[in-house]
Amino acid sequence: ELKVEQNPLFLSMQEGKNYTIYCNYSTTSDRLYWYRQDPGKSLESLFVLLSNGAVKQEGRLMASLDTKARLSTLHITAAVHDLSATYFCAVPEYGNKLVFGAGTILRVKS
Amino acid sequence: DTGVSQDPRHKITKRGQNVTFRCDPISEHNRLYWYRQTLGQGPEFLTYFQNEAQLEKSRLLSDRFSAERPKGSFSTLEIQRTEQGDSAMYLCAGRGSGNYDGELFFGEGSRLTVL
């Protein structure tokens, strides 16, 4: 059974600082997805990583995938308050459904 | 806007009542997924359809839960004899037939509160 683990589960950051969220998964997969969720809202797709070594960047967020290590990172550069949200990684199981991590709650303090 | 709409957005019901949620994906979404999310947790897979065929059901989907996608367009998720443990956000997601990267597009969700 596929397990997806994120850490940290809660992250309180000062504005302007950098930090990284980690996502480990237990079985082989060549793709991984990152989503953002604001309180009371649904999930917004952030990044789709489709191969080993894939790197994608959008604004202050950069995601990467190492399929050999079964690890993805979401790096936050110079955090701003608007980035406060919960971030989920998800990995496909049997090519069909996505299995999600527990999420990382990010709070950016000014 | 993902184009996936869910109704109702909020439902409060008493224990033992039946509730039904509806999901309308866009026409390109031949695959439709239902997930459940409780507070502080990631979404948990419930079931998915390819067109009108229900191809997989999670063991989380007890016999009180039933889902349909009668014409391969909209889908319904019914919960019979609701229990307080059913309180959660029920999320619907679509995936297009031409979407080979496997990305899911989520609706706004239906929040269920069972009193």
Side-chain angles (χ1 to χ4, degrees):
Chain A
E1 181 185 352
L2 172 60
K3 300 286 186 190
V4 180
E5 294 186 349
Q6 290 181 234
N7 74 83
L9 297 182
F10 181 77
L11 178 54
S12 181
M13 297 177 63
Q14 291 288 336
E15 274 192 333
K17 298 293 187 183
N18 304 333
Y19 210 83
T20 300
I21 298 170
Y22 297 89
C23 175
N24 291 88
Y25 53 98
S26 62
T27 63
T28 302
S29 177
D30 63 355
R31 56 188 61 194
L32 186 139
Y33 308 83
W34 284 96
Y35 286 85
R36 168 183 171 142
Q37 186 176 39
D38 292 302
K41 302 292 186 181
S42 189
L43 283 82
E44 173 191 356
S45 179
L46 287 177
F47 298 111
V48 178
L49 303 170
L50 297 176
S51 61
N52 185 41
V55 177
K56 291 205 173 171
Q57 183 163 4
E58 179 75 32
R60 301 174 187 274
L61 300 177
M62 184 174 70
S64 65
L65 177 61
D66 181 343
T67 60
K68 292 183 177 141
R70 299 178 186 169
L71 170 69
S72 180
T73 60
L74 181 65
H75 187 73
I76 302 149
T77 302
V80 293
H81 181 72
D82 285 354
L83 291 179
S84 296
T86 301
Y87 293 86
F88 293 96
C89 62
V91 178
E93 186 169 55
Y94 311 127
N96 297 320
K97 61 182 184 282
L98 294 187
V99 177
F100 285 81
T104 296
I105 300 172
L106 174 65
R107 292 291 174 262
V108 181
K109 300 183 292 186
S110 52
Chain B
D1 183 5
T2 63
V4 179
S5 61
Q6 294 188 241
D7 183 72
R9 297 287 311 279
H10 302 275
K11 178 72 176 179
I12 300 174
T13 191
K14 293 182 179 178
R15 186 164 52 95
Q17 298 294 306
N18 299 344
V19 296
T20 299
F21 301 114
R22 177 177 169 126
C23 173
D24 286 88
I26 63 174
S27 58
E28 290 82 1
H29 290 163
N30 69 327
R31 288 196 183 185
L32 185 148
Y33 297 77
W34 285 99
Y35 281 80
R36 180 173 69 186
Q37 186 179 25
T38 52
L39 199 61
Q41 299 297 317
E44 296 175 297
F45 170 77
L46 292 178
T47 188
Y48 93 94
F49 294 83
Q50 180 156 314
N51 300 313
E52 66 274 10
Q54 187 174 21
L55 295 188
E56 186 176 348
K57 293 194 292 186
S58 164
R59 67 183 188 281
L60 293 175
L61 212 65
S62 76
D63 56 7
R64 296 185 298 106
F65 288 70
S66 62
E68 293 182 340
R69 194 181 185 197
K71 295 182 181 177
S73 56
F74 73 92
S75 176
T76 58
L77 176 68
E78 181 183 17
I79 309 174
Q80 296 183 326
R81 305 181 303 281
T82 52
E83 302 173 355
Q84 289 184 326
D86 297 331
S87 295
M89 174 81 91
Y90 290 86
L91 295 163
C92 173
R95 173 180 162 181
S97 57
N99 180 5
Y100 298 107
D101 65 16
E103 186 179 8
L104 298 188
F105 298 92
F106 284 85
E108 291 294 320
S110 293
R111 182 170 296 283
L112 174 65
T113 302
V114 182
L115 301 176

